[in-house]
Amino acid sequence: MADPHRSDGDSAISRVTEETIAGTGVVFELVLVEGGSFLMGSPDDEVGRDTDEGPRRRVSVDSFWMSTHEVTYDEYAVFRYENLDSNVSQADSTTFNADAVARPSPPYEDPAHGMGNQGFPAAGMTQWAALHYAKWLSDKTGHFYRLPTEAEWEYACRAGSGTPFSFGDDATALDDHAWHYGNSDEVFHLVGQKGPNAWGLYDMHGNVAEWTLDQYAADAFSLLPDSAHSPWVEPTRLHPRTVRGGAYDDDPDALRCAARLRSNLNWKRRDPQIPKSYWWNTDSPFVGFRLVRPVKPVSGEEQENFWRLVLGE
C-alpha cells in the first residue's frame, strides 16, 4: 500500500513487515510495537473525559506486531466470501480446508452503506466476527493473530505520548491525523490518508472505531492494581465489548487515546444478512478493527484455549 508520509530514511522502516494472505495477492503491513509501560486512562482535568477512563493506572504490555492500517475490505473479503478463499496456507503443518471455515453468509446489503470497498476499512461486523477473522487468518498464515487488548490499543495509540491525542493536546490539529465529524463528510475514507502516529500507525484516531478484546466494564480501571502487566477484562458474556479510537461521525472528544465506547445491542437491531444471523454482521458501519500478533511465541495449545474462551466454541 502506498505510503504518502514515510521517507526511505525513516527509522520505522526496520520495524515494519508484511504478511501475504496465502493463495491471494492480498498483502497487509505490520509495525513492531516494543513492549513497555505507560499511564493508562486520562487525568481528571482532560477536556472531554468520561468517568470510565480512570483512575489512571500504570500498566505494562509485551511487544507485539500491530496492523499498520485498519483491516481493509480487501483483506476481510477473502474471509467473508468463500469463493475468494482457497485451500492454500502458509503454515506448513496445517491442512487448510476453505470449505470447513465458519464464516458469515454474504450480506444482502452493503455493510459499508456505499461508503467504499477496495482500500477502505472493513466495517459492520460484530466483535465475534472480527475474532473469527483473526482465527481464520492465523490458520492461513501460521502466525497467531488476535484483537488488541484495551491496554495494547491505548499503548499503541499513544506511541509514547501522554497527551489526549498522540500528536499533542490541540484538537485543532486533528485534521492532519484523523477523519472525524468535522472533516469526513460523514463517511469513512481510504485507510492511511492522514499522518501516522510516532510509531507508524495510521487512523488510530477516527475513520472507523476499532473493536478491542476486552469486555466493557465501566469500573475496569478501578479494579486494576497499579503496575498491572498485560491487563485484559476477559469475556463472561457476549455484550458489551469495548471499542476504541472514535469514528468518522464522532466529535474530537471521542477520538482521544483514552476514550472508551461501550458496544450497543442496537447496532444489531437490523441484521443485514440472509439467513438472519445474530452473530456476524451489524448495522454499524462506523466500527471496524485492526489486529495484533504477539512477538512472544504462543503454543498451539495456548491458541486453542484462547479461541475456546473468546469464541465460546
Side-chain angles (χ1 to χ4, degrees):
M1 181 172 297
D3 184 339
H5 302 285
R6 184 181 300 152
S7 68
D8 289 342
D10 195 320
S11 60
I13 290 291
S14 62
R15 300 190 301 112
V16 175
T17 190
E18 290 185 343
E19 183 93 85
T20 300
I21 299 178
T24 76
V26 178
V27 179
F28 62 95
E29 190 178 88
L30 301 144
V31 170
L32 176 62
V33 177
E34 299 278 4
S37 67
F38 73 112
L39 276 173
M40 187 175 178
S42 61
D44 293 343
D45 60 352
E46 183 166 302
V47 176
R49 179 184 192 270
D50 288 325
T51 55
D52 66 353
E53 298 170 20
R56 299 177 87 188
R57 294 286 193 235
R58 179 160 292 280
V59 305
S60 61
V61 297
D62 294 326
S63 298
F64 55 90
W65 294 93
M66 183 175 233
S67 310
T68 306
H69 304 93
E70 292 156 338
V71 171
T72 64
Y73 169 90
D74 318 56
E75 298 162 44
Y76 194 72
V78 184
F79 166 66
R80 172 174 272 162
Y81 302 106
E82 184 178 347
N83 63 308
L84 298 181
D85 201 355
S86 71
N87 291 331
V88 179
S89 170
Q90 289 167 310
D92 293 338
S93 61
T94 300
T95 300
F96 186 84
N97 182 355
D99 293 333
V101 173
R103 64 180 91 224
S105 302
Y108 65 83
E109 290 184 354
D110 178 9
H113 290 215
M115 288 187 278
N117 291 323
Q118 302 289 327
F120 289 80
M125 75 293 291
T126 61
Q127 193 233 30
W128 192 77
L131 286 166
H132 263 285
Y133 172 82
K135 183 176 185 296
W136 166 84
L137 186 65
S138 300
D139 291 339
K140 290 287 286 185
T141 64
H143 293 130
F144 175 55
Y145 285 96
R146 60 169 170 75
L147 292 172
T149 64
E150 276 201 82
E152 290 168 337
W153 191 96
E154 185 174 328
Y155 178 71
C157 181
R158 292 188 176 283
S161 73
T163 47
F165 304 100
S166 62
F167 53 84
D169 56 9
D170 183 5
T172 64
L174 197 57
D175 283 356
D176 294 332
H177 300 270
W179 295 109
H180 57 94
Y181 182 76
N183 69 355
S184 68
D185 292 328
E186 297 187 60
V187 294
F188 60 57
H189 289 258
L190 290 167
V191 301
Q193 299 302 298
K194 295 294 187 179
N197 70 12
W199 291 351
L201 296 163
Y202 293 78
D203 300 315
M204 295 297 286
H205 302 298
N207 212 23
V208 289
E210 299 176 12
W211 288 113
T212 71
L213 195 56
D214 293 52
Q215 180 169 298
Y216 175 84
D219 60 352
F221 291 11
S222 298
L223 301 176
L224 277 179
D226 208 15
S227 302
H229 180 68
S230 298
W232 171 32
V233 181
E234 296 185 6
T236 57
R237 57 186 185 278
L238 194 59
H239 283 279
R241 300 297 166 87
T242 306
V243 176
R244 290 293 200 116
Y248 61 86
D249 55 353
D250 282 324
D251 291 323
D253 286 354
L255 274 61
R256 293 173 300 109
C257 295
R260 309 172 70 210
L261 178 64
R262 169 185 175 143
S263 66
N264 191 321
L265 283 173
N266 285 336
W267 298 351
K268 295 174 59 63
R269 180 172 292 174
R270 194 177 68 94
D271 182 2
Q273 177 171 296
I274 294 175
K276 292 290 185 184
S277 167
Y278 186 74
W279 303 105
W280 295 100
N281 298 319
T282 70
D283 200 18
S284 54
F286 49 85
V287 180
F289 65 104
R290 74 180 71 214
L291 297 178
V292 297
R293 191 175 92 192
V295 169
K296 181 181 177 181
V298 180
S299 71
E301 181 179 1
E302 290 172 323
Q303 292 185 45
E304 289 179 11
N305 290 336
F306 172 82
W307 297 123
R308 191 175 300 115
L309 173 64
V310 300
L311 295 175
E313 297 176 338

